[in-house]
Amino acid sequence: MALSIEVVVESWPIAGTFAISRGSKREATVVVVRIGDGRISGRGECVPYPRYGETPEATLAAIAGLTDVAAAGSLDRLALQDLLPPSAARNAVDCALWALEAKRSGQPVHQLAGRSPPVPVTTCYTISLGDPAAMAAAAAAVPGFPLLKLKLGGAGDIERMAAVRAARPEARLVADANEAWTDDLLEPLLAAAAAHGLETIEQPLPDGRDDRLASILHPLPVTADEAAHAADSVDRLVGRYDAVNIKL
């Protein structure tokens, strides 16, 4: 069936500044796609990731480039896997096609996928990278959130973890270093994370320079983030990481 594609870029202001080891931002830029058959449409969205060289403009162009295929009736979720590489663009289109199929069939997506009904889960509330006092204050300001993710940046991380733990002794804590640690920081920072009761550290070392993870003991689980791209990258992670962060 012939389909139409509409794609736009939207920007949403962030309350304050969101910072990680690679920089900070004050707005979230989202690419939104709607795929329709003239009667029903499905919606998907994505956030292009600069770490992988993605931009909103290139992502919009990649999605718009599917217009002729969609109009010819040749766009579906299976064909999409060959039409676009693993990327923000493909994720957004995939979500829109799932939504369209769900509306057409009158079935929720979990039924179409042969999965159990979704149930509520506890997700992380992220504490932006900052000095220890600022991160502790941010953690203390959200007492209703039981699971916090700390953005870390390398030097000073021991103090950051200690400050947040002191501010929220009852909270579950995880952390994401976004590739900011170095080999000499790795073991002392992992030890400090374990001592403060953190449950995992995401991507402590840069992708491609993470061999040392295979030669040391992990006092807490280490999760692959930037090092995990698509399914074909998983084999390389074995022996270095204990878990994988699947980007949605």
Side-chain angles (χ1 to χ4, degrees):
M1 178 180 291
L3 299 173
S4 63
I5 295 179
E6 298 177 8
V7 56
V8 297
V9 176
E10 298 179 351
S11 292
W12 297 87
I14 293 172
T17 299
F18 181 77
I20 66 172
S21 61
R22 283 189 291 272
S24 62
K25 60 182 182 180
R26 297 185 64 84
E27 65 179 12
T29 301
V30 182
V31 178
V32 179
V33 56
R34 288 180 174 82
I35 298 178
D37 60 9
R39 183 176 62 91
I40 296 172
S41 66
R43 179 187 182 281
E45 66 177 44
C46 64
V47 177
Y49 200 5
R51 168 64 178 76
Y52 297 135
E54 296 181 328
T55 65
E57 295 76 17
T59 298
L60 185 149
I63 295 172
L66 300 175
T67 299
D68 289 345
V69 174
S74 301
L75 179 62
D76 57 30
R77 289 186 287 104
L78 183 61
L80 177 64
Q81 305 306 303
D82 295 322
L83 292 169
L84 290 177
S87 60
R90 191 168 85 179
N91 290 350
V93 174
D94 187 61
C95 288
L97 290 170
W98 274 107
L100 177 61
E101 185 177 347
K103 289 181 178 180
R104 279 176 167 175
S105 66
Q107 299 180 70
V109 168
H110 75 267
Q111 288 184 5
L112 294 175
R115 303 298 182 184
S116 300
V119 297
V121 296
T122 299
T123 60
C124 295
Y125 179 87
T126 301
I127 303 297
S128 182
L129 178 64
D131 63 55
M135 293 182 70
V142 288
F145 291 94
L147 176 58
L148 305 179
K149 176 188 280 193
L150 316 184
K151 287 294 187 177
L152 299 178
D157 281 349
I158 290 178
E159 293 78 12
R160 292 182 178 102
M161 290 185 280
V164 172
R165 174 51 76 200
R168 290 290 306 278
E170 85 296 349
R172 295 173 58 198
L173 302 180
V174 300
D176 185 358
N178 289 118
E179 305 179 286
W181 292 4
T182 56
D183 283 356
D184 60 319
L185 291 174
L186 182 63
E187 291 187 84
L189 289 181
L190 286 178
H196 290 299
L198 273 70
E199 298 180 17
T200 186
I201 296 288
E202 291 182 29
Q203 201 67 44
L205 298 176
D207 177 29
R209 300 202 298 275
D210 51 6
D211 294 354
R212 184 153 175 72
L213 289 170
S215 62
I216 65 168
L217 292 175
H218 296 182
L220 74 167
V222 178
T223 298
D225 187 2
E226 284 87 348
H229 306 276
D232 58 7
S233 67
V234 173
D235 287 346
R236 191 185 68 80
L237 309 178
V238 175
R240 303 181 191 188
Y241 297 92
D242 308 290
V244 173
N245 179 18
I246 300 175
K247 298 175 182 64
L248 301 180

